[in-house]
Amino acid sequence: MSETQDDRSPARYTSLRGVHEALGAAFTDFGGWMMPVRYSSDLAEHRAVREAAGLFDISHMAEFVVQGEPAGAFLDFALAGRISTMRVGKAKYSLVLAESGGIVDDVIVYRLADDRFLVIANAGNRDAVAAALADRAGRAPVAAAYRRERVSGDAADGFLRIGGTDPQFATVEDASDEFALIAVQGPAARSVIEATAGIAGITPPVEELGYYAWAAGTFDGSPLFVARTGYTGEDGFELLVSHAAATGLWNALLVAGEPRGLVPAGLAARDTLRLEAGMPLYGHELSLDVLPAQAGLGRAVAADKDDFVGKAGPAAPADAPVLVGLEAEGRRAGRAGYGVFDGADADAARVGEITSGALSPTLGHPIAMAYVTPATAAAGTRLFIDVRGNRIPATVTALPFYRRKK
């Protein structure tokens, strides 16, 4: 994910800017968006999510609606996973691959109806995903078209029904500017949702909603999409709502959540949470130069499909670096770009590079993800991270670093 803003573009803020400023948030540029990085302290917000709940504004994410009788077949061609067999009400992690097999983006796909899907992509990759879907609509083995125009949700017929489309076509529409996206993550997330005034008619009920599934309801009469997905390693929900209703929903969630330990949380906490959970971040662990198998995402590729973009890409060479976890003692953490070596001496061989690293707030010791040579990737292998000239011993470990208790 591109994390630097184009100098020619004005800063973009979400529709929740006012509540963030009122809460004293510090902002940072992320994928061209000015987003809250913290409200109080990174550590306090991280711990709140692990122990109770955190409230995140993730409205910078991109949303695409794919609709029409061939929508499932089109997504089978456009994405790496097998989407057409997914049941209505479920969600699936998938990848947008380049012809080379490299990763354009990682996405979550929700099946809204037999002929309707919602694809949520990373904020910094909105244009890349839009271009990929537009190109694939033009050459898919099914009738498909890409349109970029204003869309509207229709609560009476499920979420995100787009009018005026030809059902014989799979139409792709960019709905990113239509909605705000709010995440409630943490062990208390379900109770927060259930206690929030104004949320009504959730079907299926939240208590029956499985992981990687979604439900529809309303908030103060506006359509509300509730997905039980997340990016923190905790139980949690992501709520898609109109911009007009976003501030009201955010404030209602805060009122319901504060007695349960919920706090607003920024991107800094979100990054350490996802690192502990071993979840890759585009621009760090994922890129056009990375093949899914290198990142441990081979399971997201349905290689037995007849055809899909990226299928003809090369297999990863036997000596291609692979993603691993590293755990170290002490307090000094490796950061993105730091080298990984097979020894502590100056003449030791460089065998990899850190992609993400931090002092884990939950575990209390440094953790990192790194691409290393296959020969040094086995769990238990002793390696060394070069932290500003000092070689810090670290041990290769299986991901994730943290797994919540169920």
Side-chain angles (χ1 to χ4, degrees):
M1 177 182 298
S2 172
E3 297 182 12
T4 56
Q5 185 177 343
D6 188 328
D7 291 338
R8 299 165 298 180
S9 301
R12 296 194 67 184
Y13 289 87
T14 74
S15 55
L16 292 167
R17 177 181 181 177
V19 296
H20 300 322
E21 291 177 339
L23 290 166
F27 289 83
T28 188
D29 174 16
F30 190 92
W33 291 81
M34 295 305 294
M35 300 299 296
V37 64
R38 68 183 61 81
Y39 301 82
S40 56
S41 81
D42 302 347
L43 183 60
E45 292 168 19
H46 181 109
R47 286 179 173 166
V49 175
R50 287 281 180 255
E51 297 168 3
L55 185 62
F56 299 88
D57 178 8
I58 52 172
S59 302
H60 57 324
M61 304 290 281
E63 293 90 23
F64 300 87
V65 178
V66 184
Q67 180 171 278
E69 190 275 334
F74 167 72
L75 288 172
D76 281 349
F77 172 73
L79 305 181
R82 190 180 297 280
I83 308 301
S84 60
T85 57
M86 185 167 55
R87 289 187 288 117
V88 174
K90 301 295 289 183
K92 188 181 186 72
Y93 178 86
S94 194
L95 299 168
V96 184
L97 299 181
E99 298 286 356
S100 65
I103 300 171
V104 177
D105 199 12
D106 60 336
V107 298
I108 296 184
V109 184
Y110 302 87
R111 189 158 200 167
L112 306 179
D114 286 341
D115 60 352
R116 195 160 66 252
F117 297 81
L118 172 67
V119 180
I120 297 188
N122 284 300
N125 284 338
R126 174 181 175 179
D127 290 345
V129 173
L133 294 176
D135 173 70
R136 292 161 203 201
R139 59 194 180 93
V142 297
Y146 181 90
R147 306 189 318 183
R148 190 164 191 166
E149 59 187 46
R150 188 172 183 81
V151 299
S152 61
D154 182 349
D157 191 25
F159 205 84
L160 288 173
R161 164 71 70 180
I162 301 170
T165 59
D166 185 337
Q168 300 306 310
F169 277 76
T171 57
V172 184
E173 307 208 30
D174 187 343
S176 306
D177 294 333
E178 303 296 315
F179 301 97
L181 188 57
I182 297 171
V184 184
Q185 294 282 306
R190 175 183 151 187
S191 68
V192 171
I193 299 291
E194 292 174 330
T196 298
I199 292 180
I202 300 295
T203 306
V206 171
E207 68 269 22
E208 297 177 10
L209 192 62
Y211 189 50
Y212 263 66
W214 66 272
T218 62
F219 172 73
D220 279 352
S222 296
L224 179 67
F225 174 90
V226 179
R228 200 163 197 168
T229 49
Y231 194 56
T232 64
E234 295 296 338
D235 186 20
F237 300 84
E238 294 177 328
L239 298 91
L240 197 69
V241 70
S242 70
H243 291 302
T247 296
L249 177 59
W250 176 279
N251 289 333
L253 289 165
L254 271 183
V255 169
E258 283 177 344
R260 295 167 172 80
L262 176 140
V263 302
L267 292 184
R270 190 170 173 83
D271 191 50
T272 50
L273 290 159
R274 71 94 192 166
L275 175 59
E276 288 182 344
M279 295 180 174
L281 176 64
Y282 202 89
H284 288 251
E285 286 74 40
L286 307 180
S287 76
L288 280 171
D289 297 325
V290 172
L291 300 174
Q294 292 179 259
L297 298 176
R299 67 187 184 284
V301 180
D304 60 339
K305 289 193 298 184
D306 290 339
D307 190 21
F308 61 94
V309 177
K311 183 173 184 176
D319 60 349
V322 293
L323 188 66
V324 299
L326 292 173
E327 290 187 308
E329 299 178 354
R331 309 291 291 178
R332 303 185 67 183
R335 304 293 183 180
Y338 287 12
V340 181
F341 294 81
D342 65 359
D345 299 333
D347 61 351
R350 183 180 175 112
V351 297
E353 183 172 301
I354 300 291
T355 52
S356 300
L359 178 62
S360 167
T362 303
L363 304 175
H365 58 253
I367 59 173
M369 288 196 278
Y371 278 100
V372 302
T373 60
T376 60
T381 302
R382 189 78 158 169
L383 297 175
F384 292 82
I385 302 170
D386 190 296
V387 181
R388 298 178 179 176
N390 294 315
R391 299 288 170 88
I392 306 299
T395 302
V396 176
T397 187
L399 295 171
F401 301 104
Y402 166 84
R403 195 183 299 274
R404 69 183 169 95
K405 297 177 181 177
K406 298 182 180 179

